[in-house]
Amino acid sequence: MAMARRSASHLISSFRPFSLLLLPLADAPSPAAEAAAASARRAMSSASAMRARGDDKELARWRESMDRMRNIGISAHIDSGKTTLTERVLYYTGRIHEIHEVRGRDGVGAKMDSMDLEREKGITIQSAATYCTWNGYQVNIIDTPGHVDFTVEVERALRVLDGAILVLCSVGGVQSQSITVDRQMKRYEIPRVAFINKLDRMGADPWKVLNQARAKLRHQSAAVQVPIGLEEEFEGLVDLVELKALKFEGGSGQEVVSSDVPSNMQDFVTEKRRELIEVVSEVDDQLAEAFLSDEPISADELKAAIRRATTARKFIPVYMGSAFKNKGVQPLLNGVLDYLPCPLEVENHALDQNNSEEKVLLSGTPAGPLVALAFKLEEGRFGQLTYLRIYDGVIRKGDFIHNVNTGKKIKVPRLVRMHSNEMEDIQEAHAGQIVAVFGVDCASGDTFTDGSVKYTMTSMHVAEPVMSLAVNPISKDSGGQFSKALNRFQREDPTFRVGLDPESGQTIISGMGELHLDIYVERIKREYKAMAVSAAIDR
């Protein structure tokens, strides 16, 4: 046992960036500890290979880059404030220079709602990707729809992400789609933090919402903040880890002012901090030992314990605030950096098509062969835009890549990073990043490699359609555009199906609900200038 501990210590000291991956050894290592150790071994193996080639500088560069990267999604029930929260994140990180509201009077709309239909209806229809920098970390964000009809957008986003923010309304609490997106996060084993939003609203009760999350979602969770006032009197927050009061000043809440905990809240804050420590102690042995010994627990010790428990998916830290009133967003961003994993801390598997689809643990480093998943397609101004999550290796503009699903070899003519509907051209991207390519013919769910391996990524869950419409072009002249639109939407959306009724000869479209199909009928009219008539049919 002593030898095992010395080996672990040697492993940590010889490769310190991965020390967070290793949990303390016990007589019988937990599955989480074994998985973390395996992840460290994979990273070290790839590192050794690069050192053997004399790539020490390159090794240090990508290791630091991946350690300072977070891939997160923002998901919630409709109208919980996801897009408003993303707008504030982009503003505080300097990606945008003005804040626009989802249904703002200026008619501009939020940055992540780039479709005209999204701005008209005030809802998110398509997931949108962006990236920003906060405290030296690159944060890749996917803002997802909240309406159940567009659940595939949440599904495909969570399939490729390493962490997530679950937004809950402080008035509405845990709602139907909150349960759905939480189930999706569990399906893909996504570590997450929760954000109780809209504390400025009448009837706001974050403690009721926290208890609902524990009861309905089975969350092992506790607040890491408490609000200073509620509803119209909501002024700021007290950080239970650092024991500091935070207030958000300036025209848009951009100045975070830290001060001592108000004297009238001392007892309440002490009680809630003790509750936080107790809940985390139940799932973290190191903190439990200190807690049971009645030792004082420092902010650093508590923060490290929360990170271990969160990345192991045993605990969900709960943040609070009001995105609309510009309060609580910056501490939430700090929580993303502090508690959610970097790409190196997440295990991803592929299926080896040359070996009876045997499960292969990917190294997750740029040193390995290229493995990338096409998780989302869009028809852009320059042709098909394919969103890729890179799991292994490096992709460069001009490279030839292999579509494992079709067997085709394709050249990458253009490589970009997305900021909603804007694009930034880049020359290369490595493991852990989310990028997009133009001119690559593929379907959603296809896997790309550099040709040295024949791996495919496991597919995402796709729900069966629940509603159908009969649709037909209003004139023969628009028949070509009508068919082109239906073919495109089928490729982009796995839950959108097209068929032909053998008796009536009508085209039948099927999807996840009335709004889902209505949006596609409207897009046929707007984007393809093909007028269509529709009628509901029984399934």
Side-chain angles (χ1 to χ4, degrees):
M1 186 64 197
M3 186 177 294
R5 291 186 186 278
R6 283 197 300 273
S7 299
S9 300
H10 175 70
L11 180 61
I12 292 170
S13 62
S14 63
F15 206 72
R16 293 186 62 190
F18 300 99
S19 60
L20 287 173
L21 303 181
L22 301 177
L23 301 177
L25 294 174
D27 290 334
S30 68
E34 290 177 344
S39 181
R41 286 194 298 271
R42 288 185 288 120
M44 291 183 69
S45 174
S46 296
S48 300
M50 291 192 77
R51 285 197 188 98
R53 297 195 302 267
D55 294 340
D56 283 342
K57 288 184 179 178
E58 186 70 8
L59 169 67
R61 185 179 70 84
W62 69 249
R63 190 171 61 203
E64 182 180 2
S65 172
M66 295 183 76
D67 194 46
R68 289 184 162 271
M69 186 184 299
R70 299 292 184 270
N71 293 316
I72 65 165
I74 300 179
S75 301
H77 185 87
I78 191 169
D79 205 26
S80 293
K82 300 176 305 302
T83 304
T84 302
L85 174 61
T86 310
E87 187 82 356
R88 269 56 179 184
V89 167
L90 295 178
Y91 178 74
Y92 296 135
T93 57
R95 289 294 291 139
I96 58 175
H97 304 294
E98 284 183 305
I99 294 174
H100 297 285
E101 305 304 339
V102 172
R103 289 191 179 97
R105 293 179 182 176
D106 57 8
V108 176
K111 177 65 184 177
M112 302 304 282
D113 286 346
S114 58
M115 287 176 62
D116 290 339
L117 276 168
E118 290 178 317
R119 293 178 175 176
E120 287 173 21
K121 293 181 178 291
I123 61 171
T124 302
I125 294 170
Q126 288 187 332
S127 58
T130 186
Y131 64 94
C132 56
T133 303
W134 181 251
N135 291 345
Y137 285 71
Q138 182 183 320
V139 184
N140 297 314
I141 303 171
I142 298 183
D143 177 35
T144 62
H147 200 287
V148 68
D149 283 19
F150 309 108
T151 191
V152 72
E153 294 289 330
V154 185
E155 198 82 40
R156 67 167 125 223
L158 293 177
R159 170 65 185 82
V160 300
L161 293 171
D162 303 324
I165 299 172
L166 175 63
V167 182
L168 300 169
C169 175
S170 64
V171 180
V174 174
Q175 298 165 281
S176 58
Q177 190 66 0
S178 310
I179 297 171
T180 301
V181 297
D182 185 71
R183 188 187 304 123
Q184 291 169 316
M185 291 175 186
K186 287 175 180 172
R187 179 182 295 135
Y188 297 110
E189 300 180 340
I190 304 290
R192 53 206 179 278
V193 300
F195 180 68
I196 299 177
N197 195 20
K198 303 189 178 184
L199 292 188
D200 61 302
R201 290 269 303 274
M202 186 176 293
D205 187 349
W207 309 115
K208 176 196 74 175
V209 179
L210 178 55
N211 288 330
Q212 285 182 350
R214 289 169 174 168
K216 293 184 178 181
L217 304 178
R218 308 285 183 186
H219 282 181
Q220 179 82 4
S221 58
V224 293
Q225 298 171 328
V226 297
I228 303 173
L230 284 173
E231 301 178 351
E232 291 181 353
E233 298 176 357
F234 177 50
E235 297 179 8
L237 299 157
V238 174
D239 184 330
L240 295 178
V241 178
E242 302 282 354
L243 288 176
K244 289 288 184 184
L246 305 173
K247 294 196 176 179
F248 306 89
E249 299 178 357
S252 301
Q254 64 270 34
E255 298 172 21
V256 183
V257 179
S258 177
S259 61
D260 293 334
V261 177
S263 57
N264 64 336
M265 293 185 68
Q266 289 282 0
D267 292 343
F268 184 65
V269 166
T270 301
E271 175 196 335
K272 288 299 178 184
R273 190 176 197 265
R274 183 175 178 83
E275 180 184 315
L276 170 63
I277 293 170
E278 283 181 2
V279 174
V280 178
S281 294
E282 291 175 13
V283 293
D284 185 80
D285 292 341
Q286 285 187 44
L287 190 68
E289 191 175 329
F291 177 63
L292 294 173
S293 303
D294 214 20
E295 297 173 6
I297 294 170
S298 69
D300 288 343
E301 288 174 320
L302 181 53
K303 188 179 289 187
I306 294 173
R307 179 175 178 80
R308 288 192 299 269
T310 304
T311 55
R313 304 187 308 280
K314 294 178 179 178
F315 176 72
I316 298 173
V318 177
Y319 286 80
M320 301 183 185
S322 170
F324 183 68
K325 293 292 185 180
N326 308 313
K327 292 180 171 69
V329 178
Q330 297 97 320
L332 175 63
L333 271 170
N334 292 334
V336 167
L337 307 187
D338 290 338
Y339 303 135
L340 292 182
C342 72
L344 287 169
E345 295 172 287
V346 179
E347 281 196 2
N348 291 293
H349 294 85
L351 303 176
D352 188 350
Q353 299 302 315
N354 287 332
N355 195 11
S356 305
E357 294 197 345
E358 183 181 340
K359 226 175 183 183
V360 179
L361 187 62
L362 298 177
S363 70
T365 69
L370 174 68
V371 179
L373 175 67
F375 67 94
K376 178 177 167 64
L377 309 179
E378 272 182 22
E379 192 72 23
R381 289 168 291 174
F382 308 100
Q384 180 174 299
L385 182 66
T386 304
Y387 288 76
L388 297 176
R389 163 66 198 261
I390 308 171
Y391 288 99
D392 253 7
V394 177
I395 187 171
R396 296 180 179 86
K397 179 182 176 181
D399 277 358
F400 283 94
I401 57 177
H402 296 252
N403 186 330
V404 179
N405 300 71
T406 64
K408 292 181 179 177
K409 184 179 177 182
I410 307 160
K411 187 176 182 179
V412 179
R414 188 179 178 192
L415 188 65
V416 297
R417 283 198 298 183
M418 299 302 298
H419 177 45
S420 186
N421 60 338
E422 296 175 9
M423 291 166 286
E424 176 195 338
D425 282 281
I426 56 176
Q427 296 302 309
E428 70 171 41
H430 62 66
Q433 292 185 315
I434 295 172
V435 295
V437 294
F438 274 109
V440 173
D441 185 33
C442 67
S444 182
D446 284 358
T447 304
F448 292 93
T449 72
D450 57 7
S452 64
V453 292
K454 197 174 182 181
Y455 293 166
T456 57
M457 299 303 295
T458 53
S459 59
M460 67 179 183
H461 173 77
V462 178
E464 289 298 314
V466 298
M467 182 180 174
S468 296
L469 284 179
V471 292
N472 284 299
I474 208 163
S475 67
K476 290 183 179 180
D477 293 341
S478 60
Q481 288 293 92
F482 179 77
S483 298
K484 187 177 178 182
L486 293 182
N487 288 333
R488 170 197 162 187
F489 296 147
Q490 274 192 103
R491 287 166 64 86
E492 291 182 1
D493 185 350
T495 61
F496 180 74
R497 315 279 174 84
V498 179
L500 195 66
D501 188 319
E503 295 181 7
S504 65
Q506 290 179 308
T507 300
I508 308 297
I509 60 172
S510 303
M512 301 307 298
E514 185 177 357
L515 179 62
H516 187 212
L517 298 179
D518 284 349
I519 290 292
Y520 276 122
V521 170
E522 185 64 26
R523 288 182 67 186
I524 291 170
K525 296 175 184 176
R526 294 190 184 202
E527 297 175 29
Y528 288 86
K529 306 295 186 280
M531 296 297 290
V533 291
S534 61
I537 62 171
D538 294 327
R539 281 187 61 82

